[in-house]
Amino acid sequence: MAERRGWLLDVYADGRCGLVVWLLDEDGARRRLHQPFPVTFYAAGPFPRLRALWRFLQTRPSAPRLGRTRRRDLFSGDVDVMTITVPNPAHLPRLARQVTGRFPDLVYYDVDIPLSLRYAAATGAYPLARCALEVDDDGRICQIEPLSSRWDIDQPEPPLRLMRLTPNVNPEHAPPDRLLLTMDGQTRELPLTPGRHLLTRLQANLRRADPDLILTRWGDTWLLPHLLDMQAAEGLAFFNLNRDPERQVERRQASSYFTYGQVIHRGQQVHLFGRWHIDRANAMMFGDYGLEGIFEQARVSGLPVQEVARRSPGAGITAMQMHLALHNEIMIPYTKQQSEWFKSARDLIRADRGGLVYQPEPGLHRHVAEIDFVSMYPSIMVCFNISPETMGLASAGAAVVPELGLPIDQSREGLVPETLRPLLGKRIGIKRRLAHLSRRDCRYPALKARSAALKWLLVVCFGYLGYKNARFGRIEAHESVTAYGREALLRAKEAAEAMGYAILHMYVDGLWVRRVDGAPIDDINPLLEAIMRCTGLPIELEGIYRWVAFLPSTRDDRVPVANRYFGIFSDGSIKTRGIAARRRDTAPWITAVQHRMLQLLAAAPPEIPPEAHLPRLFDLLRGELARLRAGQIPSDQLLFAQKLSRPVAEYTTPSPAARAAAQLLAAGKTRAPGQRIQFLYTLGGANVQAWDLPTRAPRTAVDVERYTALLFRAAEQILQPLGICE
């Protein structure tokens, strides 16, 4: 028996040994360990049907162990269930498909729980956890104990080895001919042909460097499938991207799906065993929080790193709820069982009102403070114990939801508040630490990324509370959160007005205030304390603006838009919402010009009014227009990007993206709904040209007048509050 200490890298099922556990040992070795890990799922229903299921399972090869017990259902309490224990977790998916397909009328629990969650709930060992293990001479784990908590802000970081692989050009734009390999700060160029030579050199680099993470660009959608196809064509058995020599690379197909009013495209995926592969271009939120954020979400959710990178934060919050349910011995339903309670039309109108929005007065306002509730909706869930199973229970001391009159049981903590409490505490702890760190501190970027990753988990938890397919969701709980949010914002408004402030704007979880007399705000802390006392929710100062501009609708300048504004804080930093520079479909050149206009205003001394800088702004615009007309703007800076909402053939009035996608289709490049199409506005014909066509549009084909109009439209967003229209 040997004692080992190190970091948990990966956990997955194996048909022979049950469970494979990869450990990054403190001595630097990467160890493949194994552990027996039987898994159990449950079935409930009429006794005759359960008896039929029992007989069916006894006839199966490697029949599971069967039993009968009582387990807790979150909504129904203790339930008599059949226990079905599978000795090897690798056999569970196939058996579960057979059972649910043959006996669809039964209710199933704990069927499709990710293996890493089961392992984390059983042992406390989560991805990237530092652990102490007892291992026998055959590599079998006899005991594992975590040495850190997933809620610790400070955790010893594993000494991961990172390899970057990137084709020299975007494969969707042009065929690559070289592969750039970066390791330890050094980059090598590997020609893509001949294939045998490339694979031999790449395998040699993998063996020599033995990376824990292969970070690619277009690795899921082109590079790794290309390498695997090349391997098959060359018949090279020695080539294996995995660290585990006994496993083949796992490939998952691309898909498009509709959710929350938009079409999402998920590219094909390539997962490795024993090491990780993350494609920056196919990772769901890589641009928001990078690798540090992915690692943080893996720690707190219990999902494998490769899964977290490619899935939305909603999968993370669902995994956290499952982890807690397993830990508390609550069965997790295979499909949602609860339906919405009956409501009259009047009740529906009263309940389904969303967050409170107070329309701002368009224009420029000076000496304004922005105050935000800290993770308002998660804080409400925790503070008022809002959870699907606590709703509608009129127990002693029950809270009553404002406006709706629904009781909320306060005698026990609900599953959702218990899930969110440590998550909320960790994010607040990281934000407090960031507040005392200089932005130049080397720890700042990593903490900022971790905070953003936790923020996204907290953001989506509210949506999943009302999601129709959420296992632990109920629409009444969702509606109760918004009711408490509206009440909190109204109380904050009353507190501010009582202390001599005027309300300029309120938007769901924040409010913008200024002194009634228009004087500068010297000390906002008394107001913050008053709001916390009257709402019971944490609140913080986002900042005090020198000035902030609320923009009107583009169709009618008399109509304000709630979430479209920009402003300059007292420290000179800029905040923007809803303008062109914030949109992902805006051309980089227009985004850059709008940013430069804001930076000119931010760099001005506070005592000089922004209107005084109009000549400099006009000079900037004239200079950029001259560059455009002289053909000096690079074509890639003029690219717009829009999503396809449906297959190209289904467009009756094709959008610019659809016209560009049709051009790609004619060139043999298909695009699926949900994918972004890059294009230039050009003269004549379809008025657009797809960027990924084999031939590029000449500079003389660029529609200069169209880009001039688009630049003026973006510039007007900045200049309109200063009295200048398009």
Side-chain angles (χ1 to χ4, degrees):
M1 191 74 67
E3 292 187 1
R4 300 287 181 193
R5 289 183 176 231
W7 290 267
L8 186 67
L9 289 181
D10 207 357
V11 172
Y12 50 85
D14 183 84
R16 291 187 299 173
C17 60
L19 191 73
V20 171
V21 178
W22 279 94
L23 182 75
L24 198 170
D25 202 308
E26 286 184 340
D27 64 7
R30 274 66 176 169
R31 304 186 185 278
R32 185 185 190 273
L33 309 174
H34 61 90
Q35 184 176 357
F37 195 73
V39 294
T40 301
F41 68 101
Y42 307 94
F47 181 78
R49 295 296 290 160
L50 290 175
R51 185 64 182 171
L53 174 60
W54 186 294
R55 292 194 186 99
F56 171 76
L57 289 171
Q58 286 181 321
T59 65
R60 296 295 90 193
S62 305
R65 295 196 305 270
L66 306 176
R68 180 179 175 181
T69 188
R70 286 180 67 82
R71 297 277 293 185
R72 182 184 166 198
D73 180 285
L74 187 67
F75 300 96
S76 305
D78 291 341
V79 179
D80 288 319
V81 293
M82 177 193 295
T83 65
I84 307 165
T85 302
V86 183
N88 191 317
H91 302 153
L92 174 61
R94 184 168 182 267
L95 179 63
R97 286 194 300 270
Q98 293 174 345
V99 167
T100 56
R102 193 177 184 93
F103 300 90
D105 53 322
L106 294 176
V107 178
Y108 298 96
Y109 299 93
D110 293 6
V111 174
D112 57 344
I113 310 303
L115 187 57
S116 62
L117 291 186
R118 293 183 185 270
Y119 193 70
T123 65
Y126 52 90
L128 293 169
R130 187 167 175 268
C131 303
L133 302 86
E134 291 186 3
V135 183
D136 66 15
D137 295 339
D138 295 327
R140 177 178 176 271
I141 298 175
C142 301
Q143 184 177 347
I144 182 169
E145 179 184 356
L147 300 177
S148 58
S149 166
R150 58 192 179 134
W151 305 119
D152 293 340
I153 294 178
D154 295 312
Q155 297 198 27
E157 294 293 335
L160 296 172
R161 294 198 286 252
L162 172 65
M163 174 184 284
R164 299 176 187 269
L165 288 176
T166 309
N168 62 317
V169 296
N170 183 348
E172 295 183 350
H173 189 58
D177 57 12
R178 283 164 291 139
L179 182 62
L180 307 180
L181 185 152
T182 304
M183 190 83 189
D184 298 326
Q186 297 183 345
T187 300
R188 302 183 184 92
E189 291 192 3
L190 308 180
L192 285 174
T193 56
R196 179 179 291 269
H197 183 59
L198 169 68
L199 296 180
T200 302
R201 290 186 64 185
L202 188 56
Q203 189 67 46
N205 278 283
L206 284 172
R207 287 176 179 169
R208 180 171 59 253
D210 191 21
D212 303 301
L213 167 62
I214 300 178
L215 184 64
T216 66
R217 198 163 180 85
W218 309 293
D220 276 340
T221 53
W222 184 83
L223 176 55
L224 267 60
H226 180 74
L227 295 176
L228 295 172
D229 293 343
M230 189 183 295
Q231 176 198 11
E234 296 285 348
L236 301 179
F238 68 83
F239 183 73
N240 193 350
L241 292 165
N242 293 319
R243 179 179 275 150
D244 189 337
E246 301 179 13
R247 299 298 293 262
Q248 296 297 315
V249 170
E250 180 182 358
R251 298 173 71 168
R252 302 181 186 178
Q253 296 300 313
S255 62
S256 296
Y257 58 96
F258 184 83
T259 179
Y260 286 96
Q262 60 178 332
V263 178
I264 303 296
H265 178 77
R266 182 175 291 172
Q268 65 171 310
Q269 303 174 20
V270 179
H271 292 244
L272 305 181
F273 293 91
R275 63 168 55 101
W276 307 320
H277 166 235
I278 296 176
D279 177 0
R280 295 181 57 183
N282 202 35
M284 184 68 75
M285 307 285 291
F286 195 91
D288 288 327
Y289 44 65
L291 283 178
E292 290 293 344
I294 290 171
F295 295 160
E296 181 65 27
Q297 284 197 358
R299 289 188 188 100
V300 300
S301 71
L303 291 175
V305 169
Q306 294 182 101
E307 290 286 343
V308 166
R310 294 168 172 86
R311 301 186 69 180
S312 71
I317 202 70
T318 300
M320 292 177 63
Q321 294 174 358
M322 288 182 174
H323 180 280
L324 181 62
L326 290 170
H327 183 268
N328 292 348
E329 298 185 346
I330 298 170
M331 296 186 299
I332 301 169
Y334 182 47
T335 56
K336 185 175 181 177
Q337 305 295 319
Q338 290 68 42
S339 59
E340 184 174 359
W341 294 332
F342 174 80
K343 297 184 180 74
S344 66
R346 180 178 296 176
D347 291 336
L348 282 170
I349 292 172
R350 183 168 59 245
D352 191 17
R353 296 173 59 190
L356 178 63
V357 176
Y358 180 102
Q359 297 288 10
E361 179 183 347
L364 189 141
H365 306 271
R366 292 175 173 79
H367 308 309
V368 176
E370 181 181 349
I371 302 170
D372 288 337
F373 286 92
V374 180
S375 299
M376 182 192 225
Y377 284 171
S379 296
I380 287 173
M381 295 179 215
V382 171
C383 182
F384 299 105
N385 200 35
I386 297 178
S387 193
E389 79 278 17
T390 63
M391 297 303 303
L393 299 180
S395 61
V400 178
V401 181
E403 300 180 53
L404 308 185
L406 285 174
I408 303 176
D409 184 12
Q410 303 294 317
S411 63
R412 57 193 171 100
E413 187 170 33
L415 177 74
V416 171
E418 190 176 353
T419 301
L420 296 178
R421 187 182 298 278
L423 180 65
L424 190 59
K426 186 172 187 179
R427 180 167 185 260
I428 291 174
I430 291 177
K431 288 196 70 174
R432 287 174 178 167
R433 185 165 298 184
L434 284 169
H436 294 90
L437 280 180
S438 167
R439 292 178 182 266
R440 298 180 180 179
D441 193 301
C442 62
R443 296 166 294 178
Y444 191 92
L447 282 173
K448 187 73 174 176
R450 290 171 61 192
S451 175
L454 297 178
K455 173 187 175 181
W456 274 107
L457 290 172
L458 291 166
V459 166
V460 301
C461 71
F462 165 68
Y464 269 71
L465 197 59
Y467 179 44
K468 64 178 180 179
N469 293 326
R471 325 275 183 108
F472 300 119
R474 186 182 283 282
I475 190 63
E476 289 79 13
H478 182 91
E479 292 166 346
S480 297
V481 172
T482 59
Y484 271 113
R486 294 192 297 271
E487 177 71 14
L489 213 53
L490 288 174
R491 291 187 179 187
K493 173 181 178 293
E494 292 170 356
E497 289 174 339
M499 298 183 68
Y501 290 90
I503 308 299
L504 287 178
H505 185 25
M506 293 194 294
Y507 188 75
V508 182
D509 63 349
L511 61 160
W512 287 254
V513 302
R514 68 176 179 186
R515 302 291 305 180
V516 172
D517 57 8
I521 300 173
D522 297 323
D523 186 7
I524 199 72
N525 287 323
L527 176 58
L528 300 181
E529 293 168 0
I531 293 175
M532 281 190 282
R533 282 195 304 271
C534 68
T535 63
L537 299 174
I539 198 164
E540 64 181 2
L541 176 67
E542 175 72 9
I544 297 179
Y545 293 94
R546 297 180 194 167
W547 52 263
V548 61
F550 297 112
L551 300 177
S553 167
T554 55
R555 296 184 177 181
D556 189 340
D557 57 13
R558 297 170 299 176
V559 178
V561 178
N563 199 27
R564 196 159 169 259
Y565 63 90
F566 62 90
I568 311 298
F569 286 114
S570 55
D571 63 357
S573 59
I574 303 167
K575 182 171 182 178
T576 60
R577 291 291 184 272
I579 63 174
R582 291 286 302 225
R583 295 176 58 93
R584 295 180 63 185
D585 59 356
T586 303
W589 171 63
I590 293 177
T591 296
V593 173
Q594 205 173 54
H595 274 307
R596 288 176 62 191
M597 295 177 72
L598 289 169
Q599 288 164 359
L600 278 174
L601 294 172
E607 62 274 9
I608 299 178
E611 297 88 343
H613 299 282
L614 285 174
R616 298 179 63 192
L617 295 174
F618 289 149
D619 287 342
L620 169 62
L621 289 175
R622 290 190 188 97
E624 291 300 320
L625 280 176
R627 291 180 62 216
L628 174 67
R629 289 164 179 163
Q632 296 174 356
I633 310 296
S635 296
D636 60 354
Q637 295 299 301
L638 297 175
L639 289 176
F640 281 81
Q642 295 178 4
K643 269 189 181 182
L644 283 180
S645 60
R646 57 181 70 91
V648 175
E650 294 183 10
Y651 279 89
T652 55
T653 305
S655 65
R659 298 198 298 272
Q663 296 171 358
L664 292 172
L665 186 62
K669 297 184 176 183
T670 59
R671 294 294 184 266
Q675 286 189 290
R676 288 189 175 274
I677 310 297
Q678 292 183 303
F679 58 87
L680 290 168
Y681 284 108
T682 56
L683 298 169
N687 299 123
V688 299
Q689 179 161 343
W691 179 245
D692 294 327
L693 288 174
T695 58
R696 294 186 180 182
R699 289 185 180 274
T700 54
V702 172
D703 189 345
V704 172
E705 293 307 314
R706 182 69 178 269
Y707 280 99
T708 300
L710 291 169
L711 177 65
F712 283 173
R713 189 178 303 169
E716 185 194 22
Q717 294 176 349
I718 307 301
L719 297 175
Q720 187 179 43
L722 308 183
I724 306 298
C725 65
E726 183 176 348

